[in-house]
Amino acid sequence: MRPIPLALATLLALLPLPLAAASGQATMTAEEFDAYVTGKTLTYSQFGQVFGTEEYLPGRKVRWQFTADECQYGSWYPRDDLICFHYEYDQSEHCWRFWKEGDGLTALSVDDPPGWELSEVAETTQGLNCPGPDVGV
């Protein structure tokens, strides 16, 4: 077997580990994710600050709210080992890996490096308060 050139070995060492290996946890399947989230409203934090809250409705529908922002309505679907989201005001695809860690979920966007995970910090069965943008007009 030929040795790997030093430059290639260095590059490979800098690449992030697969999530399951990096976190020590297996990525949730779509079925596991659906069973865990449906009927719940989960609040996520990143870097010790609340990032936002998502309400998971039946039929893979969601309502997302950044802190103090209007709600965004969307849906989620599986793509390979990812959970992907589309929202009504942003049709780009937002894909994540989710896994159970401790008492809650941890998620990492495919666009972010390890260390940028979102962590579940609160769970409720109460829905989001989503007043419309034109209320009172």
Side-chain angles (χ1 to χ4, degrees):
M1 179 160 60
R2 293 178 32 176
I4 298 175
L6 181 59
L8 179 58
T10 302
L11 177 63
L12 290 173
L14 294 175
L15 292 174
L17 295 172
L19 188 60
S23 70
Q25 303 292 329
T27 302
M28 293 178 98
T29 65
E31 293 77 18
E32 292 168 331
F33 181 76
D34 191 43
Y36 182 84
V37 301
T38 301
K40 296 179 183 177
T41 300
L42 304 178
T43 300
Y44 296 96
S45 72
Q46 185 181 48
F47 308 121
Q49 303 224 3
V50 171
F51 183 82
T53 303
E54 191 141 47
E55 180 180 1
Y56 297 92
L57 304 163
R60 297 184 175 177
K61 301 294 182 196
V62 295
R63 276 186 271 225
W64 170 258
Q65 185 178 43
F66 285 108
T67 304
D69 282 348
E70 289 179 15
C71 293
Q72 297 179 40
Y73 296 80
S75 60
W76 70 268
Y77 55 93
R79 185 169 60 79
D80 300 323
D81 66 340
L82 304 173
I83 304 296
C84 300
F85 297 82
H86 273 146
Y87 296 94
E88 64 184 338
Y89 298 121
D90 178 4
Q91 288 299 306
S92 59
E93 183 177 66
H94 303 276
C95 294
W96 301 76
R97 287 188 172 88
F98 285 86
W99 65 96
K100 288 280 290 169
E101 192 164 348
D103 292 333
L105 288 184
T106 300
L108 182 63
S109 170
V110 297
D111 298 323
D112 290 336
W116 286 58
E117 292 85 1
L118 299 183
S119 298
E120 177 188 339
V121 293
E123 174 187 313
T124 183
T125 56
Q126 297 289 318
L128 285 174
N129 181 15
C130 294
D134 300 323
V135 172
V137 175

